[in-house]
Amino acid sequence: KNINITHTNIQNSINKKENISIFNKKLDTILPGENDGYRVFFLNDQDEKHIHMINTNFKTKNIFNTISEKKSKNIVKINEIKERKFLKLLLKIKNGLPIQRKNALKQISTKASEFGPNLIFHHVLPLIMDPTLDSHERHLMVKVIERILLKLKSLIRPYISKILLIILPLLIEEDNFSRIEGREIIASLTKAVGVATMIVALRPDIDNVDEYVRNTCARAFSVVAVSVGIPVLLPFIVAVCKSKKSWHARHTGIKIVQQIAVLMGNSLIPYCKTFLAIIKHGLIDENIRIKTITALTVASLAEAVFPYGIRIFDNLIDLLTEGIKFPQKKLSAAFLKAVSCIIPLLNSVDSSNYCSVILTLILEKFNTPDIEIKKIMLKIILFFCNANLEKTDYFLKKIYYSFFSCFWTKNTIKNNSLFYFLKKATISFSEKIGKNYVMTKLLYMIKNENEIFKFRALETLYEVLKNIDPDKISFLLVEEFLEIFFKLFSSGFYDLKGYFIKNLTILFINYSSVSFKYIKQMIYVTKKNLKNKNSLIRKASAELIIGIVDKLDNYQTKHYIYQITFILNENLNEEDPLTLSIIILGIIKALRISEMVFLGTSGRIIIPKLIPILKNKDAGVQKNTMILLGYLADKMGVFLSPKEWLRISFSLLDIFRSEYKNVRRNAVNTFGIIAKVIGPQDILFFLLNNLKVQERQSRISTAIAIAVICEICSPTIVLPFLIQEYITLDSNIQNGILKALAFLFEFIGEQTKNLILFLLPLLESAISNQDVVHRQISCNIIQHMSINVLNLNCEELIQHLFNFVWPNIFEKSPHMKKAVINCIDSCRIILGGSLIYFYVINGLFHPSKKVRDIYWYINNLIYVGAQPALIVSYPNLEHFLIHKYMKI
C-alpha cells in the first residue's frame, strides 16, 4: 500500500512538471520574446546560473562556497534591478515624449556613478551601432554618452577606444550640427580622462594606411588641442610632423595643424609662426601628398589669421608661386590656393609686384577643366579686380579676351558654387574695364540657343544693370538688347527667377528715348501673352506692364495707359492668384497715373468683375482688390447705386477675419470709404441686425465695421443708434456694441473727451452687469478712454468709472483679470499712483491670503509705474509703537 502511495506521488509530480513545461511552451508562443526586441529573464531556481551569465556582463568564476553563493544571488538581483531601471530610462530617451526624455536624461546623468560604466556602455554602445536606428535616435544615444562623461571621469578609460569608434565619424558628417556635437563630446572626453589617455587611444590611427581613419584622427587631435590648449599638445604635434618612420604620420601631423587653424580662426595668431616652422619642410618634401597637404595647411593658416600676419608668410610667397608650375593638377591647385589666401594679406606695393607674375601663371591654366582650380583662379581675379593697384589694368585687359571663352562654358555655369564666383568676377570686370565690353559678351550668350547660357547670362546682366549709370552704355547696344528681348518675349520665353523681365524693365525705363518706339509692339505682345496657356508667361507679361506703366506718365504716351487698362480689365478672370494680383496692381497704377476722364465708364465695368474676386483666398489678391475698390469708391462712388455699394460692403465683412494684417487693414479702410460715400444709416441698420447672429466671428466682424463707421462718419452721428440698440436685452447685441466701442476708442484719440459724459450711463450699466464678458469689454473701453483723455481735465469722470471697476479685482477668469489689471494701470496714468494707493492700502494686511495676494500684486504694479508719487501717500506710523490706531 505504501509502495502504491509513493508511486502515485511520483507520478503526480512528473505530471505536474510536464504540465508546467507544456504551459511554459504555450506562454512562449503567445508572449513576445527576444526576437521582438524584449529581454527574457529566467527566474527558476535551477536557472540561477543562467541568470548570472546573461544578466551580468562581469567575468565571474564559480569558486565561491555556499555562503558566498547566497551573497552572489543578492548581488545578481541588485544588478538585475539596476539593469532594468537603466533600460527603462534608455527606452524613455529613445521612444518617449520630450518631457519623459528630459527627465530620463537627468536621472541617468545624476545616477551615472551608481549605474557604473560597465552597465551603461554595455547597452548604449551596441545600441548606437545598430543599423536600424534612425539619425534622431542615434543623436539621443550620443547625448546620453555626452551627459555621463564628466560624471564618470576616469572610470571611462577602459571604454575610450569604443567611444571614439562611434564618435569619430561624426567629425566628418555633412551636417554641421553633427560635427559640432562630435567636437563637444571629444572635448568632454579629453577633460574627463586627460590628454595622455587620449594620445594613447588615438596613437594607432596616426600612421594608418586608410586615409579616412587618418582624417578622423587628425580632426580628433585638433579638438583635443583646442580644448586643453595648444602649448600642451605642441610637443606631440612637432614629433608627429617630423616623423621619419612613415609619410603617413607626417601627413596626419600636418593635417592636425590644418584642422586647428580651421577651428581657432584669429585666435591662432600667437601660434601661427610656430606652426609654419613645424610644417614648412613639407613644401619641399619628396612625397607629393605631403606637399599638397602642406600647401593646403598654409592656405588654412592664412585664412585663419586674415587680415593680419603678412610678415609670417613673407618667406613663403616665392616658394608657393614656383609651386604653381608643377604639372600635377592637385599639387598645383593646392599651391594656387595657398597663394590666393596669402595675396589678400599683402600691402598694395607687394600686391602690384606679384600681380604680373601670378596673373601670367593663371593665364596659362585658363584651359584646365578642373573645377577647383577654376574656383581658385576666379577668387584671385576677383581680388585683383576689386583692389586698386597700378599694374592690374593692363593684365586684366589681357586676361579679358580669354576669360569668357575659358570660363563661360557649359560645365562651369552648371556648377552653382563656381558660377557664384564667376558672376562676381564678371561684374568686377565690367566695373574695371567698362560695361560695354562685358554686356557685348553677355548679349552673344543670350542669343545662344542653349537655355542654361541664357538664364545665367540674364542673371549676370541684371547684376551689371542694377547700379548702372545710363550714360556709360551706348544706345546701339541698348537697341540690340531690346530687339533680342522683344524677339524672345514674343516667342513666349520666360525664366523662373524673373531676370528676363527685370532686365527688360530696366532697359525700357532708363533708355526711354530708344525704347518708346517699341511700345506698340510691347502692348500687342503683352495682350497676346496674357491669353497664353502657360501661367508663367502670363505672369511675366503682367510684371512687364507693372514695370513700365510708371514711365508712361507724359502727354505723348498717356493714350497707351488707356489701352493697358482695358487689356488688364479683360484679364480679371485670371485663374492663377499671383498673376491676378499683379493684374489688379497694374490697374491701380494705370488709374492713378491717368486723368480720370474715362473712369466713370471703366469703373462700372471693373467693379462687377471685382465682386467675385473678393472670395479668392490669396492674400495678395485680397489686398490689391481692397485697394482698388477703395480707390474706385473714393473717385467714382456717385456713379454706382447705393444698393450695389451696400452689397459690396457686406462682402467685405468676411475679409475682416483674414489671417493677414495688411489685408484686414485695407479692408477696414475700404469699408470706411464706402460708408462715407453712401452714408452710415443704411449700413448701420443691417449691421445691428447682423449682431443677432449666433456665430461669434460674424459678430466680431460686424463690431469692427460699426467702429469703422463711427470713426469715418463722426461718432456723434452713429452713437445715438448704438445707445438706442443697447437698451434691448439681447446679450449678443450688447456685446457687439461694446466691442465696437472698444475698437472705436482705440483710434479716435482726443475726441473721447466729448463722448465720455454721453456714454457714462451705458458704461455704468455694462460694468455692473452680471455677465463677465460685459464687464471685461467695459474694462477695455475704460482703459482706452483713460489714455485718450490724459491732461484733458477728465479725472473726475475717470475716477467715477474707476469706482465701478475696482470691485472686479477678485474675478477668477484669466481674461477678466487681465482686463481689470490693464484698466487699473491705465487709470493710474491719469489719476496718479497716490490716489490708487489709497484703494490698495486697505487690503495689504487682510487676514485672507488670497485677498492679500491680489492687493500686493496691484501695489507692486503701482510701485513699478509711479514709485516717486507714492512717497507722499505712505501712512503715518508714529503711533504704531504705543498701539494707538487711527483711521487713514
Side-chain angles (χ1 to χ4, degrees):
K1 192 174 182 181
N2 291 331
I3 291 166
N4 290 332
I5 290 167
T6 54
H7 179 72
T8 53
N9 289 336
I10 292 165
Q11 190 67 35
N12 288 334
S13 65
I14 290 166
N15 291 335
K16 187 178 179 182
K17 285 183 180 180
E18 285 178 357
N19 289 336
I20 289 168
S21 64
I22 291 165
F23 182 70
N24 285 337
K25 285 179 182 178
K26 286 184 178 179
L27 277 179
D28 288 340
T29 57
I30 295 167
L31 295 174
E34 290 182 350
N35 294 330
D36 301 313
Y38 290 86
R39 190 79 179 268
V40 179
F41 295 94
F42 300 96
L43 300 176
N44 294 332
D45 292 333
Q46 60 186 359
D47 293 333
E48 279 183 9
K49 185 178 178 183
H50 191 60
I51 294 170
H52 191 72
M53 297 300 291
I54 286 182
N55 293 332
T56 63
N57 213 17
F58 306 106
K59 295 180 180 179
T60 55
K61 295 181 180 179
N62 298 320
I63 57 173
F64 301 105
N65 53 20
T66 55
I67 299 169
S68 63
E69 277 183 9
K70 290 179 182 177
K71 290 182 180 177
S72 68
K73 287 177 186 177
N74 293 330
I75 292 166
V76 169
K77 286 179 182 177
I78 291 166
N79 289 332
E80 190 179 304
I81 291 165
K82 278 185 185 177
E83 187 176 21
R84 284 187 177 185
K85 188 176 181 181
F86 178 74
L87 288 172
K88 279 182 182 179
L89 293 172
L90 210 59
L91 190 65
K92 284 180 183 178
I93 292 167
K94 182 177 173 289
N95 298 330
L97 296 170
I99 298 171
Q100 293 175 320
R101 193 182 302 144
K102 185 179 178 183
N103 291 331
L105 274 169
K106 191 175 180 181
Q107 286 185 50
I108 284 179
S109 62
T110 52
K111 297 180 180 180
S113 55
E114 183 186 329
F115 289 128
N118 197 350
L119 177 64
I120 293 170
F121 292 119
H122 173 67
H123 291 290
V124 174
L125 295 178
L127 195 59
I128 293 175
M129 299 297 287
D130 187 5
T132 59
L133 221 64
D134 62 19
S135 58
H136 179 63
E137 289 172 343
R138 189 170 285 107
H139 161 73
L140 292 172
M141 294 301 108
V142 170
K143 208 170 183 180
V144 172
I145 293 177
E146 186 183 358
R147 290 289 181 91
I148 64 168
L149 285 179
L150 293 175
K151 297 285 182 181
L152 297 175
K153 294 185 179 178
S154 60
L155 294 173
I156 60 174
R157 280 178 180 166
Y159 304 94
I160 283 181
S161 57
K162 292 180 181 178
I163 295 169
L164 288 174
L165 187 66
I166 292 165
I167 302 303
L168 287 179
L170 292 176
L171 297 175
I172 53 173
E173 283 280 341
E174 291 182 3
D175 183 30
N176 185 37
F177 293 106
S178 299
R179 295 198 300 273
I180 291 169
E181 190 177 40
R183 288 199 290 266
E184 286 175 355
I185 292 171
I186 289 174
S188 301
L189 198 61
T190 308
K191 290 171 186 174
V193 300
V195 181
T197 312
M198 290 297 291
I199 291 173
V200 170
L202 291 168
R203 171 65 189 84
D205 295 339
I206 287 175
D207 52 358
N208 197 301
V209 180
D210 190 0
E211 190 173 353
Y212 172 85
V213 176
R214 293 203 310 275
N215 188 12
T216 53
C217 177
R219 287 171 185 262
F221 267 119
S222 66
V223 176
V224 171
V226 171
S227 60
V228 299
I230 301 294
V232 177
L233 209 66
L234 194 58
F236 175 77
I237 295 171
V238 172
V240 174
C241 289
K242 295 184 177 180
S243 173
K244 294 181 180 179
K245 288 184 179 179
S246 68
W247 68 268
H248 296 105
R250 295 200 301 278
H251 186 277
T252 309
I254 297 167
K255 186 81 175 174
I256 292 169
V257 176
Q258 184 192 20
Q259 293 303 318
I260 289 172
V262 171
L263 291 178
M264 291 190 69
N266 270 347
S267 306
L268 190 73
I269 292 172
Y271 311 104
C272 187
K273 193 171 182 179
T274 310
F275 279 134
L276 273 178
I278 294 169
I279 66 168
K280 191 165 59 173
H281 63 86
L283 294 172
I284 54 173
D285 199 284
E286 295 176 358
N287 195 307
I288 293 174
R289 287 196 174 187
I290 300 292
K291 283 183 181 178
T292 307
I293 192 64
T294 307
L296 292 174
T297 306
V298 170
S300 298
L301 289 170
E303 282 181 345
V305 300
F306 178 82
Y308 311 104
I310 183 52
R311 292 180 183 176
I312 303 169
F313 297 95
D314 269 341
N315 302 326
L316 294 177
I317 299 174
D318 295 328
L319 184 60
L320 292 169
T321 48
E322 287 297 321
I324 297 172
K325 299 175 184 178
F326 284 123
Q328 293 87 354
K329 287 182 181 178
K330 287 187 177 179
L331 184 59
S332 178
F335 276 85
L336 191 61
K337 185 175 182 181
V339 170
S340 70
C341 294
I342 292 173
I343 284 171
L345 304 177
L346 300 173
N347 54 38
S348 57
V349 177
D350 293 335
S351 297
S352 299
N353 294 334
Y354 284 105
C355 172
S356 57
V357 179
I358 294 168
L359 290 177
T360 307
L361 290 170
I362 285 174
L363 193 57
E364 294 173 3
K365 294 186 175 291
F366 261 28
N367 292 320
T368 181
D370 191 276
I371 298 295
E372 286 300 319
I373 294 177
K374 285 196 170 184
K375 192 185 289 186
I376 295 163
M377 287 193 289
L378 284 171
K379 286 181 181 178
I380 294 171
I381 291 168
L382 197 57
F383 169 74
F384 282 121
C385 286
N386 293 333
N388 296 319
L389 305 177
E390 296 176 0
K391 301 178 183 179
T392 52
D393 292 349
Y394 167 73
F395 292 102
L396 288 174
K397 286 179 181 177
K398 190 177 177 182
I399 287 172
Y400 164 77
Y401 294 106
S402 53
F403 174 77
F404 280 91
S405 59
C406 294
F407 282 92
W408 278 85
T409 59
K410 191 183 291 186
N411 292 330
T412 53
I413 63 174
K414 277 183 180 178
N415 190 312
N416 288 328
S417 62
L418 182 60
F419 178 71
Y420 173 78
F421 292 104
L422 179 59
K423 181 172 71 173
K424 280 198 164 188
T426 308
I427 295 164
S428 300
F429 259 121
S430 69
E431 292 171 357
K432 200 74 178 175
I433 61 174
K435 296 186 184 291
N436 284 319
Y437 295 109
V438 174
M439 286 179 67
T440 307
K441 293 287 184 183
L442 292 174
L443 179 63
Y444 293 140
M445 288 173 197
I446 292 168
K447 290 178 181 178
N448 197 312
E449 293 181 0
N450 194 328
E451 288 194 349
I452 297 172
F453 274 102
K454 280 182 184 173
F455 293 146
R456 296 299 197 187
L458 286 168
E459 187 176 344
T460 310
L461 180 65
Y462 175 70
E463 297 294 334
V464 172
L465 290 174
K466 198 161 56 173
N467 300 317
I468 197 170
D469 184 3
D471 298 331
K472 290 185 178 180
I473 300 178
S474 66
F475 288 153
L476 291 173
L477 187 60
V478 171
E479 197 166 349
E480 280 187 56
F481 269 109
L482 287 170
E483 282 179 8
I484 190 66
F485 280 170
F486 278 114
K487 187 178 178 182
L488 290 171
F489 187 54
S490 57
S491 66
F493 174 80
Y494 67 93
D495 65 321
L496 295 173
K497 294 182 180 179
Y499 288 113
F500 173 66
I501 296 299
K502 289 175 184 175
N503 288 325
L504 183 53
T505 307
I506 290 170
L507 290 172
F508 193 91
I509 291 171
N510 290 340
Y511 303 95
S512 54
S513 58
V514 180
S515 59
F516 275 172
K517 63 182 179 182
Y518 295 98
I519 290 180
K520 288 183 181 179
Q521 182 186 350
M522 189 207 68
I523 292 173
Y524 173 75
V525 174
T526 303
K527 186 177 180 181
K528 186 183 75 171
N529 284 350
L530 282 171
K531 304 293 182 184
N532 199 297
K533 291 181 180 179
N534 193 329
S535 62
L536 293 171
I537 295 174
R538 299 198 301 271
K539 181 187 170 187
S541 304
E543 284 175 347
L544 180 61
I545 288 288
I546 286 181
I548 66 165
V549 77
D550 292 327
K551 199 66 181 176
L552 302 177
D553 188 15
N554 58 62
Y555 69 94
Q556 293 178 346
T557 57
K558 184 95 44 164
H559 59 283
Y560 292 121
I561 292 282
Y562 305 152
Q563 294 180 32
I564 289 170
T565 308
F566 284 114
I567 289 169
L568 293 175
N569 186 23
E570 288 174 4
N571 292 278
L572 279 174
N573 55 355
E574 173 62 47
E575 296 175 356
D576 182 43
L578 287 174
T579 311
L580 181 59
S581 66
I582 295 167
I583 288 170
I584 296 169
L585 185 60
I587 293 173
I588 295 166
K589 282 190 172 186
L591 291 178
R592 282 177 177 170
I593 290 169
S594 62
E595 296 173 0
M596 309 304 289
V597 176
F598 68 102
L599 188 59
T601 54
S602 67
R604 291 172 190 169
I605 301 168
I606 293 171
I607 290 170
K609 291 185 178 181
L610 291 177
I611 295 169
I613 296 172
L614 290 173
K615 296 177 183 177
N616 196 310
K617 297 299 180 185
D618 185 74
V621 173
Q622 286 183 336
K623 177 188 170 184
N624 291 336
T625 308
M626 291 299 103
I627 294 169
L628 181 56
L629 271 174
Y631 188 77
L632 292 172
D634 188 29
K635 296 293 181 182
M636 53 154 294
V638 293
F639 291 101
L640 211 65
S641 65
K643 286 185 179 180
E644 191 68 24
W645 284 121
L646 197 62
R647 189 161 66 88
I648 293 168
S649 64
F650 276 100
S651 301
L652 298 181
L653 291 179
D654 294 332
I655 301 173
F656 286 167
R657 310 176 202 171
S658 175
E659 299 175 8
Y660 307 99
K661 189 175 181 180
N662 55 359
V663 174
R664 295 197 301 270
R665 189 187 294 116
N666 286 306
V668 164
N669 293 338
T670 303
F671 190 89
I673 293 167
I674 292 171
K676 196 174 182 180
V677 168
I678 63 174
Q681 288 82 3
D682 294 334
I683 299 181
L684 266 178
F685 175 75
F686 288 106
L687 288 176
L688 292 172
N689 285 332
N690 208 26
L691 287 175
K692 298 174 184 177
V693 180
Q694 291 297 321
E695 190 188 358
R696 181 175 175 275
Q697 286 293 333
S698 178
R699 284 187 277 115
I700 289 173
S701 301
T702 307
I704 294 168
I706 292 170
V708 171
I709 294 170
C710 283
E711 186 186 359
I712 298 291
C713 304
S714 178
T716 52
I717 297 173
V718 180
L719 284 178
F721 293 99
L722 299 183
I723 294 170
Q724 184 181 359
E725 198 67 29
Y726 187 83
I727 298 169
T728 60
L729 298 177
D730 191 339
S731 63
N732 285 341
I733 294 175
Q734 290 179 341
N735 277 341
I737 290 169
L738 289 172
K739 280 176 185 172
L741 291 174
F743 290 131
L744 171 67
F745 285 112
E746 281 187 43
F747 299 105
I748 61 172
E750 293 184 357
Q751 294 182 44
T752 308
K753 181 183 176 181
N754 304 322
L755 303 175
I756 290 184
L757 201 58
F758 191 56
L759 290 170
L760 203 59
L762 187 147
L763 290 173
E764 287 174 1
S765 170
I767 197 67
S768 55
N769 198 299
Q770 288 184 353
D771 188 9
V772 179
V773 180
H774 277 58
R775 284 180 275 140
Q776 179 188 326
I777 302 170
S778 303
C779 286
N780 291 333
I781 294 171
I782 295 167
Q783 174 191 346
H784 297 305
M785 273 184 169
S786 59
I787 293 170
N788 290 341
V789 297
L790 182 64
N791 299 327
L792 295 178
N793 298 323
C794 296
E795 287 80 4
E796 291 181 1
L797 294 172
I798 296 297
Q799 188 176 355
H800 176 68
L801 291 171
F802 182 77
N803 290 329
F804 286 92
V805 173
W806 187 255
N808 293 285
I809 60 174
F810 300 108
E811 285 291 339
K812 294 180 180 179
S813 166
H815 295 291
M816 184 63 188
K817 268 186 183 178
K818 186 178 178 182
V820 170
I821 293 298
N822 289 340
C823 183
I824 291 170
D825 203 23
S826 301
C827 290
R828 173 190 59 77
I829 295 170
I830 186 170
L831 299 176
S834 56
L835 181 64
I836 307 294
Y837 186 73
F838 286 125
Y839 287 82
V840 173
I841 196 170
N842 293 314
L844 290 178
F845 304 101
H846 195 276
S848 172
K849 185 178 181 298
K850 290 183 179 179
V851 175
R852 287 200 309 274
D853 286 345
I854 294 166
Y855 275 95
W856 275 106
Y857 181 81
I858 299 170
N859 178 68
N860 294 338
L861 188 74
I862 300 166
Y863 185 84
V864 170
Q867 190 267 333
L870 296 182
I871 295 170
V872 296
S873 307
Y874 290 136
N876 187 3
L877 300 175
E878 61 182 352
H879 301 296
F880 178 74
L881 295 174
I882 58 173
H883 303 286
K884 185 179 179 181
Y885 300 111
M886 55 192 294
K887 288 185 179 180
I888 298 172

